[in-house]
């Protein structure tokens, strides 16, 4: 190397050393302007990701889909019908619940300029049932889509298979997305009708969304950069390091650290937008086939201690019943007391004192393993020896058949109206019911879903009371979604699957 | 040389065939099945049967293996269960980034390891000052070898990203661009892997240098009056470099595929991170494709190391 080239090399090195932090700083300041670009980090599915939300079905897939595509509406207990409509103006039930009329808003257009019609809505409903996992097409369980009738461009009638009165809640789930009639491939060019459109997409790295100018509502943000960051530590670090403005689903400890930094706030979701963290007791295996052992377990649990320790106080106390916050959720069932003495007595009576059981868990969602650790310790204190079998992430549900055979299994619930949740997950014969088999309760749930008004509420409360007394569920806490964000961010709706349609950055 | 190249290439193909059997068998034994992954937990037996037929999983394992390995050697690694993307595309996206990271590690690692390893090796058979140099370097390498990878990476992240704000804590590359558009995202992952790898490579070079320094060949050069830098550069280094390159080549393959912890911690878009994602989501075709590709990369790196080592040996002779 001659003198000139060495000098050039050294200058280059110094320039790089100086420039590197500056480049980083430039990245940190991006996106803060009028309108501006919001940079958000969420869990995605790596380089296998596509723009088809049902292929990967991660949080990022659905948040992006909700920004790009329309929905029928979203559940909102404060709204008149219990839902806030999106591409619809109303869902009208026949007086005998024999069918539903969906009224499409006249002002919605796709990004290719075409009008959104009832035909697109029906196509989308059929697309989801044909292409998505059963979990995402459960909205259609009670509808007869084959006999659906398009009355005109803005009216669609869906006949009912069962005369249930809560189809509106099921139709307004976030995964009931609306696509243009004939959509088969999902690319940045695919017509969409949401507040944003796809500008750039790179699998596993992120998506740039731009404001959809044909969207009828007011959208403040110019663009959104959705980043796929799987590890929760990395999401929190990206926020604190100024690489993103919004970090989805932080663990409670990280949320506390982020909250302690004056630059950020933490948004906490409220019921029904909360995740139940629990343990299922396998009723087809001893010792949990004995109702005294199940009741002992429920009484041995110190729910407040679990909330304070596993979730650092951020959460909602559970009462061994799924899905709080919906109109059908239990409100009159008393809160289970913590009574370790009675738990000891019940275990002794059942001959289960000193029996060893295995609790299988995995870090599938923040707080699940700490909650199981607490439950194991508390049950051991009253005489049931609990061994924790901790699997790697993804290991809990890796083998669905094996899950049904676990003696005690960790579980977490997503927000679905409780009676529907019971029918799809908890009813007799379901793998996830872990031996629960009560045809009488199944029938009462089915009957309650056909009622409306005060009669429905009364029937629902009675079913919940039975479940509370007899079921095999320890559900001590509900975990809110904790989302960290910069102080200037406003208008993000929802916690688990946030919508940025009304968001703005100052 | 041509004969060697042909023999070794055939050896690589044979080894990959054996490896493919191991990979296929191992992924068959993974808990969970692809049908459950695709059909979902609430699918009924009819839906499960349809998915199994669509994925070809209703056929015997041997038939599926023959299909898979035949396609894989033709460049088709199958389709991801998660996003239904071709696995070859996924591997291609991520392998380049991991090779780039490995290059960023090995660019400083080779001169550092050769320099420090040779200094320690020569010092170990030298005078008091030489032994002191050897002790300092050996202690340093031992200390580094004793610290787990995640701790080194975590410390670097805490100091240089969270505390000093010198580098980004997460290796977020620009969307639609290259990792090289934002070279600063390479710094912390590369530094972590450099520190982790340096200790082992220095010790290997040191052992070789100590052997060479006491060899009759170097002794006779010394008796012939060759001393100091001339002895090191003309007689010791060429003898050290050949075997050192072979050892470094083995490590290169490990860094490309084995950087799972570091890539995950910094969320670096490399193949180790992708492998971790695929295992977590039970995306069997992606796991198989990545494992086979990493096997091929390691075997090719070893072959390249052998060829370079032989070339250096030839120069020395």
């Amino acid at each position: 190397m001659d003198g000139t080239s060495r000098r050039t090399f050294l200058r280059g090195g110094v320039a790089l050393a100086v420039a590197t932090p500056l480049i980083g700083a430039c990245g940190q300041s991006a996106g803060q302007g009028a309108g501006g670009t919001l940079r958000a980090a969420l869990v995605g599915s790596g380089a296998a990701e596509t723009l088809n939300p049902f292929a990967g079905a991660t949080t990022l897939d659905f948040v992006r889909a909700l920004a790009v595509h329309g929905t029928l509406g979203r559940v909102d207990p404060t709204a008149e019908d219990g839902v806030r409509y999106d591409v619809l103006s109303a869902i009208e039930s026949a007086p005998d619940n024999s069918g539903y009329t969906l009224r499409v808003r006249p002002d919605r257009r796709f990004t290719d300029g075409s009008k959104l019609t009832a035909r697109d809505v029906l196509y989308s409903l059929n697309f989801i049932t044909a292409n998505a996992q059963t979990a995402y097409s459960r909205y259609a369980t009670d509808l007869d889509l084959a006999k659906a009738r398009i009355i005109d461009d803005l009216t669609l009638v869906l006949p009912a298979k069962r005369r249930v009165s809560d189809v509106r809640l099921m139709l307004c789930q976030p995964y009931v997305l609306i696509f243009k009639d004939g959509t088969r491939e999902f690319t940045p060019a695919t017509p969409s009708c949401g507040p944003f459109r796809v500008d750039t997409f790179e699998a596993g790295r992120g998506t740039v969304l731009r404001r959809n100018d044909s969207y009828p509502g007011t959208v403040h943000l110019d663009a959104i950069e959705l980043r796929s960051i799987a590890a929760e530590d990395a999401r929190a670090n990206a926020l604190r390091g100024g690489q993103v403005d919004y970090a989805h689903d932080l663990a409670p400890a990280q949320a506390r650290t982020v909250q302690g930094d004056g630059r950020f706030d933490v948004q906490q979701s409220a019921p029904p937008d909360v995740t139940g963290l629990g343990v299922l007791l396998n009723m087809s295996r001893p010792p949990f086939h004995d109702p005294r052992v199940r009741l002992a377990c429920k009484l041995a649990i110190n729910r407040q201690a679990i909330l304070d320790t596993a979730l650092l106080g951020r959460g909602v106390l559970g009462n061994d019943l799924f899905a709080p916050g919906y109109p059908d959720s239990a409100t009159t069932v008393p809160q289970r007391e913590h009574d370790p003495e009675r738990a000891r007595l019940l275990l002794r009576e059942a001959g289960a004192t000193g029996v060893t059981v295995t609790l299988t868990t995995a870090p599938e969602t923040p707080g699940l393993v700490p909650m199981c650790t607490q439950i194991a310790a508390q049950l051991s204190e009253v005489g049931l020896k609990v061994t924790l079998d901790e699997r790697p992430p993804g290991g809990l549900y890796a083998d669905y058949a094996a899950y049904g055979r676990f003696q005690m299994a960790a579980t977490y619930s997503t927000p679905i109206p409780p009676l529907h949740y019971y029918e799809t997950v908890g009813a007799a014969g379901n793998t996830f019911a872990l031996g629960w088999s009560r045809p009488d309760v199944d029938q009462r749930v089915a009957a309650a879903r056909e009622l409306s008004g005060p009669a429905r509420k009364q029937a629902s409360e009675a079913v919940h009371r039975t479940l509370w007394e007899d079921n095999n569920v320890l559900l001590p806490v509900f975990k809110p979604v904790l989302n960290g964000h910069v102080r200037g961010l406003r208008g993000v709706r929802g916690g688990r699957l946030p919508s940025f349609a009304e968001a703005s950055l100052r | 040389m041509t004969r060697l190249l042909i023999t070794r290439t055939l050896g690589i193909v044979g080894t990959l065939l054996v490896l493919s059997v191991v990979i296929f068998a191992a992924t068959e034994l993974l808990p969970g099945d692809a049908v459950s992954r695709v059909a979902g937990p609430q699918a009924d037996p009819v839906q499960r049967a349809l998915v199994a037929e669509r994925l070809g999983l209703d056929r015997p394992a041997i038939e599926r293996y023959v299909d898979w390995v035949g396609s894989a050697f033709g460049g088709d690694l199958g389709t991801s269960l998660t996003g239904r993307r071709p696995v070859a595309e996924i591997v291609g996206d991520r392998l380049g980034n991991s090779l780039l990271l490995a290059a960023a590690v090995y660019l400083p690692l080779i001169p550092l390891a050769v320099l420090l390893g040779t200094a320690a090796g020569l010092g170990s058979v030298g005078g008091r000052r030489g032994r002191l140099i050897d002790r300092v370097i050996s202690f340093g390498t031992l200390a580094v070898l004793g610290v787990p990878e995640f701790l080194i990476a975590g410390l670097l992240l805490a100091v240089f990203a969270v505390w000093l704000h010198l580098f980004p804590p997460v290796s977020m590359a620009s969307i639609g661009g290259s990792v090289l558009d934002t070279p600063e995202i390479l710094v912390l992952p590369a530094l972590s892997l450099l520190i982790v790898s340096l200790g082992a490579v220095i010790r290997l070079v040191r052992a070789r240098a100590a052997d060479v320094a006491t060899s009759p060949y170097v002794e006779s050069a010394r008796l012939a009056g060759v001393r100091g830098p001339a002895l090191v550069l003309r007689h010791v280094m060429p003898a050290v470099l050949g075997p050192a390159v072979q050892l470094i080549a083995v490590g290169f393959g490990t860094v490309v595929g084995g950087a799972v912890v570091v890539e995950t911690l910094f969320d670096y878009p490399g193949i180790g991170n992708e492998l971790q994602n695929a295992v977590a989501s039970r995306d069997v075709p992606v796991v198989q494709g990545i494992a086979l590709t990493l096997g091929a990369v390691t075997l090719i790196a070893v072959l390249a190391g052998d060829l370079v080592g032989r070339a250096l040996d030839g120069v020395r002779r």
Side-chain angles (χ1 to χ4, degrees):
Chain A
M1 192 182 279
D2 64 23
T4 309
S5 63
R6 187 162 54 240
R7 269 197 303 278
T8 310
F9 176 78
L10 288 171
R11 277 179 192 157
V14 170
L16 183 67
V18 172
T20 300
L22 291 179
I23 294 165
C26 289
Q28 287 165 22
S29 62
Q32 306 284 347
T37 298
L38 173 72
R39 300 160 305 162
L42 306 104
V43 177
S45 57
E49 183 187 15
T50 68
L51 286 172
N52 179 350
F54 299 110
T58 62
T59 305
L60 176 56
D61 289 320
F62 280 118
V63 169
R64 180 179 51 223
L66 286 168
V68 171
H69 303 287
T71 58
L72 297 182
R74 295 190 72 169
V75 173
D76 181 353
T78 62
E80 193 181 338
D81 286 341
V83 296
R84 262 164 44 109
Y85 294 111
D86 182 16
V87 305
L88 300 182
S89 56
I91 299 177
E92 294 156 6
S93 308
D96 59 352
N97 291 330
S98 60
Y100 300 88
T101 303
L102 277 58
R103 307 268 179 211
V104 179
R105 282 175 59 161
D107 57 350
R108 290 299 284 267
R109 287 183 179 275
F110 287 100
T111 45
D112 64 354
S114 59
K115 278 185 79 171
L116 191 153
T117 67
R119 191 172 302 280
D120 300 308
V121 173
L122 181 58
Y123 173 80
S124 305
L125 297 179
N126 281 316
F127 178 91
I128 297 166
T129 50
N131 293 282
Q133 287 187 1
T134 319
Y136 303 110
S137 54
R138 62 162 72 92
Y139 73 88
T141 315
D142 305 313
L143 299 170
D144 194 347
L145 289 182
K147 291 183 181 161
R149 299 190 314 278
I150 294 170
I151 307 299
D152 58 42
D153 270 4
L154 301 179
T155 314
L156 172 67
V157 174
L158 302 175
K161 275 187 199 162
R162 273 172 69 194
R163 297 186 176 199
V164 294
S165 64
D166 55 5
V167 164
R168 190 179 282 116
L169 287 180
M170 295 314 300
L171 283 171
C172 293
Q173 292 294 317
Y175 40 79
V176 185
L177 298 158
I178 302 304
F179 312 120
K180 187 175 164 69
D181 183 11
T183 299
R184 281 182 184 81
E185 298 293 319
F186 291 87
T187 69
T190 300
S192 58
C193 63
F196 296 90
R197 59 180 170 78
V198 178
D199 179 83
T200 315
F201 167 68
E202 188 173 0
R205 203 176 282 181
T207 316
V208 177
L209 307 176
R210 303 262 171 223
R211 185 167 51 211
N212 173 12
D213 293 327
S214 64
Y215 183 74
T218 307
V219 180
H220 302 290
L221 294 171
D222 296 322
I224 307 176
E225 235 182 74
L226 295 174
R227 289 293 192 154
S228 173
I229 302 181
E232 57 199 42
D233 284 335
R235 288 196 297 279
N237 286 336
L239 178 67
R240 295 174 65 205
Q243 291 177 286
V244 296
D245 309 302
Y246 182 92
H248 186 259
D249 201 8
L250 302 178
Q254 291 155 342
R256 189 161 63 179
T257 308
V258 166
Q259 187 107 56
D261 187 324
R263 295 173 296 162
F264 309 110
D265 273 331
V266 173
Q267 174 203 23
Q268 178 170 328
S269 69
D273 204 6
V274 289
T275 303
L277 303 181
V279 169
L280 299 175
L281 311 172
N282 198 329
M283 289 172 69
S284 59
R285 297 181 60 182
F288 302 115
H289 62 308
D290 188 326
R292 290 170 297 183
V293 177
R294 298 200 298 275
L295 180 58
C297 291
K298 290 172 182 173
L299 293 168
I301 301 303
N302 184 343
R303 290 166 175 75
Q304 188 61 50
I306 292 174
L307 181 64
D308 293 341
T309 312
L311 301 184
L312 302 179
R314 283 179 178 272
V316 179
L317 273 187
N319 196 21
D320 304 331
L321 295 168
F322 288 108
Y326 287 98
D328 290 334
S329 302
T331 49
T332 59
V333 177
Q335 176 65 41
R336 180 99 56 199
E337 75 267 33
H338 174 220
D339 190 347
E341 279 312 310
R342 198 170 154 224
R344 280 192 195 92
L345 277 173
L346 284 165
L347 284 179
R348 207 173 300 145
E349 266 177 44
T353 304
V355 168
T356 302
V357 292
T358 303
L359 166 54
T360 308
T361 186
E364 308 296 358
T365 186
L368 193 61
V369 172
M371 184 274 302
C372 287
T373 308
Q374 286 272 303
I375 283 190
Q378 292 177 2
L379 292 182
S380 295
E381 275 174 26
V382 298
L384 201 61
K385 290 182 183 167
V386 181
T387 310
L388 214 58
D389 172 16
E390 186 180 339
R391 308 274 172 104
L396 188 62
Y397 298 111
D399 184 340
Y400 295 125
Y403 185 90
R405 294 190 294 271
F406 290 147
Q407 198 171 19
M408 292 175 84
T411 187
Y412 66 97
S413 66
T414 47
I416 298 167
L419 299 180
H420 212 284
Y421 189 90
Y422 176 85
E423 284 194 337
T424 50
V425 179
N430 192 300
T431 306
F432 294 92
L434 263 72
W436 166 264
S437 181
R438 286 283 297 271
D440 61 316
V441 177
D442 297 357
Q443 281 168 12
R444 284 167 60 199
V445 169
R449 288 196 60 211
E450 293 181 9
L451 301 171
S452 55
R456 181 185 175 107
K457 182 67 183 162
Q458 197 179 354
S460 174
E461 288 292 334
V463 166
H464 278 120
R465 181 79 195 205
T466 307
L467 288 170
W468 184 78
E469 284 165 355
D470 298 344
N471 72 6
N472 58 340
V473 180
L474 306 179
L475 200 54
V477 286
F478 285 89
K479 178 178 73 83
V481 185
L482 302 171
N483 301 320
H485 61 84
V486 293
R487 283 244 151 128
L489 181 64
R490 298 276 183 278
V492 179
R493 285 193 170 270
R496 198 171 56 91
L497 296 175
S499 161
F500 301 115
E502 295 165 36
S504 64
L505 272 169
R506 271 191 311 177
Chain B
M1 187 63 107
T2 311
R3 194 174 163 192
L4 172 84
L5 203 59
I6 292 168
T7 318
R8 292 296 301 274
T9 306
L10 287 174
I12 287 178
V13 173
T15 311
L16 279 176
L17 270 173
V18 174
L19 192 62
S20 70
V21 175
V22 175
I23 291 167
F24 192 85
T27 46
E28 283 284 302
L29 294 174
L30 269 179
D33 65 303
V35 175
S36 298
R37 172 73 189 79
V38 175
Q42 287 142 32
D44 59 37
V46 177
Q47 289 166 318
R48 287 177 60 84
L50 283 172
V51 170
E53 192 186 339
R54 178 159 60 83
L55 299 176
L57 294 172
D58 53 344
R59 295 178 303 146
I62 291 177
E63 201 180 306
R64 283 186 283 123
Y65 166 74
V66 172
D67 265 9
W68 172 67
V69 83
S71 305
F73 277 82
D76 176 8
L77 295 170
T79 308
S80 155
L81 298 179
T82 309
R84 299 165 203 169
R85 258 190 97 192
V87 176
E89 264 183 41
I90 295 170
V91 170
D93 278 359
R94 297 299 173 114
L95 183 62
N97 293 338
S98 284
L99 288 172
L100 197 63
L101 179 60
V105 173
Y106 272 76
L107 222 59
L109 183 138
I110 294 171
L112 274 174
V114 170
L115 197 73
L116 294 173
T118 307
L122 293 179
S124 69
V125 295
R128 184 184 291 177
R129 192 165 155 236
R131 284 199 296 275
L132 181 67
I133 290 171
D134 176 43
R135 277 197 204 110
V136 169
I137 294 173
S138 295
F139 177 78
T141 56
L142 267 181
V144 169
L145 282 172
V147 183
E149 198 175 341
F150 74 87
L151 198 60
I152 290 174
L155 275 172
L156 290 175
L157 193 148
V159 173
F160 291 105
V162 177
W163 184 34
L164 295 174
H165 300 289
L166 283 177
F167 300 104
V170 180
S171 295
M172 281 172 34
S174 62
I175 298 170
S178 152
V179 166
L180 287 173
D181 295 343
T182 44
E184 68 274 13
I185 67 171
L186 276 163
V187 176
L188 291 182
L191 196 56
S192 307
L193 290 170
L194 175 65
I195 294 170
V196 170
S197 310
L198 199 55
V201 181
I202 286 176
R203 291 191 73 78
L204 293 170
V205 176
R206 176 196 172 274
R208 177 68 188 159
D211 281 350
V212 171
T214 53
S215 67
Y217 153 75
V218 171
E219 196 57 35
S220 48
R222 197 176 281 133
L223 289 172
V226 187
R227 291 266 192 281
L231 181 76
V232 174
L233 290 173
R234 283 169 50 197
H235 299 280
V236 178
M237 276 293 198
V240 169
L241 277 178
V245 163
Q246 287 165 330
L247 293 168
I248 286 168
V250 174
F252 184 84
T254 313
V255 166
V256 170
V260 178
V261 173
V262 168
E263 286 191 2
T264 305
L265 189 73
F266 292 103
D267 206 53
Y268 182 81
I271 202 156
N273 199 356
E274 195 56 42
L275 179 63
Q276 202 254 355
N277 276 337
V279 170
S281 58
R282 297 300 184 276
D283 200 335
V284 173
V286 177
V287 174
Q288 289 172 336
I290 290 179
L292 195 64
T293 306
L294 290 178
V297 168
T298 306
L299 291 171
I300 291 167
V302 170
L303 173 63
D306 282 356
L307 293 176
V308 174
R310 273 173 176 265
L312 287 170
D313 217 29
V315 170
R316 180 174 68 92
R317 279 205 211 101

